[in-house]
Amino acid sequence: MRSNIRNFCIIAHIDHGKSTLADRLLQVTGSVSEREFHNQMLDSMDIERERGITIKSTAVTMYHENTEGEKFQLNLIDTPGHVDFSYEVSRALASCEGALLVVDAAQGVEAQTVANLYKAMEQELEIIPVVNKIDLPSANIDETLYEIDNELGLDPDGAMHVSAKTGQGIEELLEAIIERIPPPSGDADAPLRARVFDSIFDPYRGVIAYIRVVDGVMRSDRDISLMAMGNEYRVEEIGHLGIKREKCELLTNGDVGYVIAGIKSVSDVRSGETITTKLNPAEKTLGGFAQAKPVVFSSLFPISSEDYNDLALAMEKLKLNDASLIYEKVNSVGLGFGFRCGFLGLLHLEVVQERLEREFGMSLVLTAPTVLYRVSLTNGEIKYIDNPNLYPDPSRIELTEEPYIKASVIMPDKYIGPVTTLLLNRRGRDYSNTYVGARRVEIKVEMPLAEIVYDFYDKLKSLTQGYGSFDYEASGYHPGNLAKVDILVNHEKVDALSMLVHRDRANNWAKRACENLKEAIPRQQFKIPIQGTIGGAIIARTTISALRKDVTAKCYGGDITRKRKLLEKQKAGKKRMKMVGKVMIPQKAFLAVLKRD
Amino acid sequence: MATEKIGLYVHAPFCVKKCSYCAFNSVEKPRDTSGMCTALSTEFIRRTQQPDLEYQTFYAGGGTPTLLPPEFWKRMIDMVRAPWLKEVTIETNPAVLDAIDYSSLHIAGFNRISVGVQSFCDKNLKLLGRRHTAEEARETLQLISRTGFKNISLDLMYGLPGQTPEHQKNDIIEALSFMPQHISTYDLTLEPGTPMGNRGEKASEDQCAEMYHQIHEILTANGYVHYEVSSYALEDKYRSMHNSSYWDRTSYIGIGPSAHSFSGTKRSWNIPGIPEYESALLKGELPEDSSEEITDENAVNEILSIGFRNTNGVDLNELDKFGFRLDPTDLLHTGLIEQKGDFLVPDEKGMLFADLLALKASELLEKTSGV
Ligand SMILES: Nc1nc2c(ncn2[C@@H]2O[C@H](COP(=O)(O)OP(=O)(O)O)[C@@H](O)[C@H]2O)c(=O)[nH]1
Ligand code: SF4
Ligand SMILES: [Mg+2]
């Protein structure tokens, strides 16, 4: 047992102050110099900073002396909070002994707090409730403590009161971390076992795996093996994760750090992997290794076909750093060559899209995301279909099944009506509800995964004003009566707009898709009919009327620059449209088909 | 020494009251305008006293320039002291009928006046937040023609929320009854941040297009030349010289807050803020906000964004001078333009698609070798 180490993470609903608290801890412990400091130190990707979300787990080691002058090593493991990355979260939580549960004193307990608290409890972490933002005039500390007690079932007397902004209460919090979070257990003399909780790709060093040593000692220059994948490597460098990487000679049980070992791709060393030594291997893995499976599929195409090779390169590079991304080449009649991709969820999809566009300068069209259907053919063959265009002819199909999930929604009880309606409208079944706190209800329901793929979170969030938390697990395949709806734009079928839809929904779906496309496709000089069809029969139609004018009324005096900039902007906008036949279809139209009311 | 033909614009940033659609740089007129007058003359003196400039046009715009005293304008015009000045325009607004001394303005040297009537319907005027009635607009027009102005331009707006082509016809017919030498008709633009822009209401695109064609039909039947998307002249000689100079790459100097200038290779613009503008000049600085060098590519994009808006069209030779070639085949297929010699000229419908044509043309540009 190494009594001077504490490993912990921070759990918080978005905007409750996780990043700010991490910044303060780094400053108060002197882990970062004033010169080096900037806000949101731990969020390194642009997307993370801008959206205020964490995508990759990371860790940082801080040192702090308690009041008796004893020095402690504090390892903060920063984890994503979103359900798409819940597998990564669980691996990071498994590497900690404690968690700070941050609650905004002005907002009270909110959705993600609950979902992630349960995950932390499953790992039997010591939870320290932290009431944050006590400096705000609108802070309601008593009410927040009441909720911590009643809605989370945690002892409110043990809650720490801090302002991550002003630094108030941070010293006391550090004391509490040292006092209350147990030191890591584990056996220093046992064979090495270290858990990988995330890894990144560095163009110069290859893969850098973030690890928590559970048993034994890891040294550089030794041969290691990855117990799940079975590969062997020689350790080039190990170290602690300060603000920068700090090389060292050995990492002992309880330590959090990194390892560089000539690993080529993050897919080779996934989260949950157990590292041991080749010479004296451990007998058992640390457990908990699973490959996160993609659940949502979509095709990506470059807006202009010449960029296909660039996209292929970009995908390869992105894959180096994102083990969960899977893809293969596809060809679409309207859109040319692209990639069929699998994602962990919609946030993952958005992140991949954004990174391709920003880090690699790609302009992309994405097709409507779908799930993985299981189709039994009349000849006994079973096929998994993740692309509507590969859906077999109905005459050859014996049975189609779709993936279901067991969903859980927790929310204040006043929202139960609208949320129930939402879930039942999304084909929810086996509905049940129970009170989990004084005024909080949990609804459980089984429903098709396809029903949450698009705009479900947004709907839930707006129905519950952000207080509904949602989580789910897969619950196998169940029969579904599906129809393939095709969309014709100006009499040409656009295969990228085809969708598999529940048959009872097909007519409405097609009608709405046509309406949405009418909104999303800009008027052109000619009339554009839009039709929805099943097996060639037209079930919905709209028409985009011809453009009647396209000129800005007034030229503002001598401000010709403004006119030119407008032209340049339009030109850039047009680069984000795809020519299908004679019609320019903007990028957003490919997702607009999915928008509900 | 070679002289250069040039236009002069002076921006008077004051109005009686802000109209509901207006995004021009103007504020409510303060009681004392002498600070602005001094600032404008100062900038004017500092920037225009080069002997080799041949001022062709002078344009007092705004805002409502007639809210500044006629003596001020007289001094400004006198300062140009240019025998070349052909067109000297001032904009006005019927809202200040009594207070404006139009004959003094005429004597000061203005030979053209542009009257912001916008509509002859009180309901519309109210909607637009104009501070005058239709009757006051009529009186203003009569008064101005009595004071000796022989070149009057009348501004109308169309595409207003609730307005139908039928309605709009009344405005255009009444405008004709004054027989102005020039008529400008602007399709309402919803400017973000203005009250009307925020409300987001406007006649439908179809109705606006219909109104545009209707205006064209009525005015051309009455002898007007439709020479720019929003501009009609009773005879060619009444085309707005000053505005045309914006389109044909003549140099111009813009005086006043946010005014734009063009030197042939560089565009620059002044600070928009009125106090900042005045204080810069008080400190002896030029009030320039920013500027940009016009690259050859910028220049051709400017030519394209302006060219299809008027019947001069786009001169392929000129594009060539900047090192770009344009194969017009695809553009001609749109049926919106004609090729006349080296010029691509939009017809009446074509001007209504000027932005689309510019975009298409801009995508078809090819760099010619050696440049
Ligand atoms: N007044 C006040 N604002 C805070 C405090 N902690 C965080 N904030 C603000 O709350 C917002 C969200 O904080 P952030 O750390 O990004 O939250 P995260 O999404 O949980 O990482 C930011 O604008 C912070 O400046 C605090 O203690 N007091
Ligand atoms: S009078 Fe002209 S410049 Fe003044 S507020 Fe009205 S529209 Fe704008
Ligand atoms: Mg954050």
Side-chain angles (χ1 to χ4, degrees):
Chain A
M1 184 180 281
R2 300 199 43 210
S3 57
N4 66 336
I5 294 183
R6 299 293 180 270
N7 293 322
F8 68 100
C9 57
I10 307 178
I11 293 172
H13 190 83
I14 189 160
D15 283 343
H16 280 203
K18 182 171 86 151
S19 301
T20 312
L21 181 59
D23 288 349
R24 271 314 80 66
L25 291 172
L26 288 168
Q27 277 185 315
V28 171
T29 55
S31 307
V32 52
S33 69
E34 282 310 315
R35 195 175 43 81
E36 286 173 306
F37 179 80
H38 55 81
N39 285 334
Q40 289 178 273
M41 291 275 330
L42 295 187
D43 295 332
S44 52
M45 280 191 261
D46 285 348
I47 310 179
E48 293 186 320
R49 283 169 194 277
E50 273 167 32
R51 293 202 180 190
I53 53 171
T54 305
I55 297 163
K56 279 259 169 197
S57 295
T58 150
V60 61
T61 297
M62 301 173 271
Y63 294 94
H64 188 64
E65 277 180 21
N66 70 0
T67 42
E68 275 103 59
E70 205 183 331
K71 199 171 173 187
F72 286 84
Q73 177 192 324
L74 310 179
N75 296 314
L76 164 58
I77 299 181
D78 190 25
T79 75
H82 194 274
V83 56
D84 279 10
F85 304 108
S86 59
Y87 174 70
E88 268 78 10
V89 183
S90 69
R91 292 312 84 206
L93 294 179
S95 305
C96 299
E97 279 77 36
L100 309 183
L101 183 97
V102 177
V103 182
D104 183 331
Q107 306 291 328
V109 168
E110 287 187 48
Q112 281 165 12
T113 325
V114 186
N116 287 324
L117 171 66
Y118 288 164
K119 290 197 191 96
M121 284 174 159
E122 269 169 38
Q123 305 281 346
E124 299 182 353
L125 302 193
E126 175 67 30
I127 314 277
I128 302 179
V130 178
V131 178
N132 186 32
K133 306 199 190 179
I134 57 171
D135 61 296
L136 285 178
S138 55
N140 189 341
I141 299 175
D142 289 340
E143 174 65 21
T144 306
L145 290 173
Y146 175 85
E147 289 177 6
I148 286 174
D149 185 1
N150 282 271
E151 300 189 16
L152 303 179
L154 297 172
D155 178 10
D157 295 337
M160 305 304 294
H161 301 193
V162 309
S163 166
K165 189 171 173 191
T166 67
Q168 189 187 347
I170 300 297
E171 285 286 350
E172 291 81 351
L173 178 60
L174 284 163
E175 283 294 314
I177 291 170
I178 291 170
E179 285 302 310
R180 286 159 59 181
I181 295 178
S185 52
D187 187 349
D189 300 323
L192 171 70
R193 287 199 297 174
R195 173 185 286 115
V196 175
F197 59 84
D198 211 341
S199 52
I200 60 163
F201 181 80
D202 179 298
Y204 303 104
R205 306 298 316 262
V207 170
I208 301 171
Y210 296 149
I211 56 163
R212 154 74 194 271
V213 181
V214 177
D215 293 321
V217 180
M218 179 176 263
R219 295 174 206 275
S220 55
D221 272 338
R222 299 293 157 90
D223 288 330
I224 50 168
S225 69
L226 305 186
M227 295 180 78
M229 299 293 268
N231 298 336
E232 294 180 354
Y233 301 92
R234 169 151 282 241
V235 176
E236 291 168 12
E237 182 180 321
I238 56 174
H240 290 287
L241 291 155
I243 286 307
K244 299 194 193 73
R245 294 194 295 271
E246 290 155 12
K247 202 165 145 177
C248 69
E249 281 313 306
L250 76 177
L251 292 170
T252 335
N253 73 306
D255 274 335
V256 169
Y258 68 89
V259 50
I260 298 175
I263 304 171
K264 293 280 174 307
S265 151
V266 293
S267 311
D268 298 331
V269 50
R270 293 170 182 260
S271 311
E273 178 66 86
T274 303
I275 300 179
T276 190
T277 53
K278 188 181 162 193
L279 224 56
N280 180 19
E283 285 185 359
K284 277 176 62 185
T285 71
L286 291 164
F289 179 83
Q291 289 213 33
K293 285 218 183 72
V295 290
V296 170
F297 301 81
S298 163
S299 300
L300 303 183
F301 298 92
I303 296 234
S304 73
S305 313
E306 305 101 73
D307 295 340
Y308 170 77
N309 287 332
D310 291 344
L311 178 61
L313 272 176
M315 295 290 291
E316 236 170 77
K317 288 205 179 124
L318 203 61
K319 172 81 183 161
L320 288 177
N321 210 358
D322 184 347
S324 317
L325 174 67
I326 61 158
Y327 63 90
E328 65 185 31
K329 192 173 173 179
V330 284
N331 187 5
S332 149
V333 180
L335 300 178
F337 285 110
F339 293 99
R340 188 76 189 163
C341 306
F343 305 95
L344 297 176
L346 282 169
L347 178 68
H348 185 211
L349 179 155
E350 272 174 44
V351 166
V352 169
Q353 174 190 8
E354 215 171 304
R355 293 188 63 185
L356 286 169
E357 294 190 341
R358 290 160 64 144
E359 294 169 29
F360 300 93
M362 303 298 315
S363 288
L364 300 171
V365 165
L366 264 83
T367 62
T370 62
V371 300
L372 191 64
Y373 293 99
R374 182 160 77 187
V375 181
S376 310
L377 299 181
T378 43
N379 65 5
E381 213 183 315
I382 290 182
K383 280 193 156 177
Y384 283 88
I385 303 289
D386 66 15
N387 183 344
N389 294 306
L390 302 178
Y391 195 63
D393 189 88
S395 65
R396 292 175 50 215
I397 297 177
E398 182 77 43
L399 176 68
T400 300
E401 292 168 294
E402 50 179 334
Y404 271 64
I405 54 167
K406 285 212 169 83
S408 147
V409 181
I410 301 180
M411 84 228 98
D413 56 6
K414 62 175 163 181
Y415 302 119
I416 189 166
V419 171
T420 299
T421 310
L422 171 70
L423 291 169
L424 297 181
N425 279 340
R426 300 287 174 109
R427 295 193 278 146
R429 61 189 199 195
D430 291 342
Y431 173 95
S432 70
N433 65 50
T434 45
Y435 270 83
V436 291
R439 282 166 291 134
R440 300 179 73 81
V441 174
E442 176 173 18
I443 297 182
K444 287 192 171 155
V445 72
E446 186 170 42
M447 64 199 280
L449 177 63
E451 295 287 339
I452 65 158
V453 160
Y454 201 76
D455 86 348
F456 179 78
Y457 298 97
D458 291 344
K459 264 278 151 50
L460 182 69
K461 232 187 289 167
S462 76
L463 283 180
T464 61
Q465 294 168 314
Y467 287 90
S469 77
F470 174 75
D471 213 352
Y472 67 87
E473 59 187 39
S475 70
Y477 278 87
H478 298 284
N481 186 6
L482 296 183
K484 180 177 165 225
V485 179
D486 295 318
I487 302 286
L488 278 57
V489 174
N490 206 24
H491 305 294
E492 276 184 56
K493 183 173 130 189
V494 183
D495 56 3
L497 291 174
S498 297
M499 270 289 276
L500 290 171
V501 197
H502 194 261
R503 186 168 291 276
D504 295 348
R505 297 275 183 82
N507 280 324
N508 274 337
W509 191 89
K511 228 166 101 185
R512 205 179 42 227
C514 289
E515 289 299 330
N516 289 341
L517 283 169
K518 183 176 169 179
E519 294 299 312
I521 298 176
R523 297 165 78 180
Q524 327 219 348
Q525 272 172 279
F526 44 90
K527 262 203 270 181
I528 307 169
I530 298 179
Q531 294 154 322
T533 66
I534 293 182
I538 296 170
I539 55 170
R541 74 170 90 221
T542 51
T543 306
I544 301 176
S545 56
L547 182 70
R548 291 291 306 274
K549 68 196 242 307
D550 184 12
V551 60
T552 28
K554 190 143 182 149
C555 226
Y556 284 84
D559 188 356
I560 306 297
T561 303
R562 175 171 158 153
K563 274 255 61 190
R564 193 194 79 230
K565 293 250 159 83
L566 192 78
L567 173 66
E568 287 164 356
K569 200 173 134 200
Q570 283 183 323
K571 223 170 141 177
K574 213 166 156 184
K575 290 217 176 91
R576 299 178 70 85
M577 295 203 220
K578 188 89 198 177
M579 196 75 174
V580 177
K582 260 169 67 186
V583 183
M584 299 295 302
I585 304 186
Q587 199 183 21
K588 63 173 198 278
F590 291 90
L591 287 179
V593 288
L594 286 177
K595 219 164 64 199
R596 304 182 192 231
D597 43 70
Chain B
M1 185 185 285
T3 56
E4 192 191 345
K5 290 187 169 51
I6 188 163
L8 193 60
Y9 174 81
V10 182
H11 188 80
F14 301 133
C15 289
V16 177
K17 194 98 189 167
K18 202 78 188 150
C19 304
S20 309
Y21 56 88
C22 174
F24 291 110
N25 183 16
S26 71
V27 299
E28 253 170 66
K29 175 180 145 338
R31 196 165 309 148
D32 182 8
T33 57
S34 61
M36 179 53 69
C37 290
T38 310
L40 290 172
S41 342
T42 310
E43 190 192 358
F44 187 80
I45 290 165
R46 295 197 46 193
R47 292 190 55 200
T48 60
Q49 302 304 302
Q50 296 164 28
D52 52 342
L53 299 180
E54 194 177 303
Y55 292 101
Q56 302 257 316
T57 60
F58 180 111
Y59 196 101
T64 308
T66 46
L67 291 177
L68 297 183
E71 308 79 65
F72 163 76
W73 289 117
K74 180 164 178 357
R75 253 182 293 129
M76 296 289 263
I77 297 169
D78 287 350
M79 272 191 287
V80 183
R81 267 181 271 116
W84 312 281
L85 264 187
K86 297 197 176 99
E87 186 189 272
V88 189
T89 307
I90 189 164
E91 292 177 341
T92 192
N93 181 325
V96 274
L97 177 62
D98 299 335
I100 298 177
D101 181 354
Y102 286 107
S103 51
S104 296
L105 288 168
H106 188 237
I107 292 162
F110 287 107
N111 58 18
R112 182 171 183 273
I113 189 161
S114 164
V115 188
V117 171
Q118 315 312 357
S119 175
F120 288 101
C121 158
D122 282 336
K123 203 177 116 245
N124 283 343
L125 289 171
K126 217 167 172 157
L127 185 85
L128 292 168
R130 300 289 296 182
R131 303 291 146 165
H132 57 88
T133 59
E135 195 47 40
E136 282 165 327
R138 292 180 194 112
E139 282 171 36
T140 302
L141 287 165
Q142 278 151 8
L143 177 72
I144 287 171
S145 51
R146 280 201 303 272
T147 47
F149 280 98
K150 297 273 176 326
N151 187 351
I152 299 174
S153 178
L154 194 160
D155 282 3
L156 289 180
M157 291 181 79
Y158 67 92
L160 313 183
Q163 190 181 39
T164 61
E166 241 107 285
H167 264 117
Q168 205 281 325
K169 202 172 192 171
N170 298 336
D171 275 353
I172 203 76
I173 302 259
E174 178 148 9
L176 270 177
S177 72
F178 291 93
M179 291 194 293
Q181 284 68 30
H182 189 274
I183 297 179
S184 298
T185 57
Y186 296 110
D187 186 0
L188 170 69
T189 308
L190 295 175
E191 296 284 356
T194 63
M196 289 189 78
N198 291 344
R199 258 175 276 144
E201 287 163 12
K202 179 175 164 42
S204 72
E205 187 183 301
D206 284 355
Q207 297 235 304
C208 291
E210 238 168 88
M211 291 184 222
Y212 170 89
H213 292 302
Q214 165 175 288
I215 293 167
H216 172 86
E217 255 164 54
I218 297 176
L219 290 184
T220 50
N222 282 276
Y224 286 81
V225 188
H226 189 181
Y227 69 100
E228 194 256 356
V229 61
S230 327
S231 312
Y232 294 82
L234 193 49
E235 289 170 46
D236 275 333
K237 67 174 180 187
Y238 291 122
R239 293 181 183 212
S240 165
M241 266 183 80
H242 185 80
N243 282 338
S244 304
S245 71
Y246 292 146
W247 314 331
D248 64 14
R249 308 189 75 69
T250 308
S251 301
Y252 48 90
I253 294 179
I255 303 291
S258 74
H260 282 245
S261 302
F262 175 53
S263 74
T265 54
K266 190 177 113 180
R267 296 194 182 275
S268 58
W269 47 94
N270 281 346
I271 318 173
I274 289 164
E276 291 82 358
Y277 170 81
E278 289 181 4
S279 77
L281 282 157
L282 278 179
K283 278 188 276 178
E285 294 160 10
L286 277 180
E288 186 175 298
D289 183 0
S290 196
S291 66
E292 72 177 335
E293 292 296 330
I294 299 302
T295 63
D296 287 349
E297 188 175 349
N298 289 158
V300 294
N301 278 333
E302 286 176 1
I303 293 167
L304 296 178
S305 27
I306 301 299
F308 296 113
R309 299 171 63 90
N310 65 72
T311 50
N312 290 345
V314 167
D315 181 356
L316 293 173
N317 268 332
E318 203 183 357
L319 299 181
D320 199 47
K321 266 192 268 164
F322 287 105
F324 284 86
R325 187 181 31 230
L326 175 63
D327 176 356
T329 318
D330 282 359
L331 289 171
L332 293 167
H333 280 319
T334 61
L336 297 168
I337 55 167
E338 269 183 284
Q339 181 156 13
K340 297 185 181 162
D342 287 327
F343 285 81
L344 301 179
V345 181
D347 60 10
E348 180 249 339
K349 186 172 170 206
M351 287 192 280
L352 199 51
F353 286 93
D355 291 354
L356 183 119
L357 288 166
L359 184 59
K360 276 201 176 148
S362 173
E363 286 171 338
L364 292 168
L365 282 177
E366 274 174 69
K367 254 199 155 97
T368 44
S369 54
V371 184

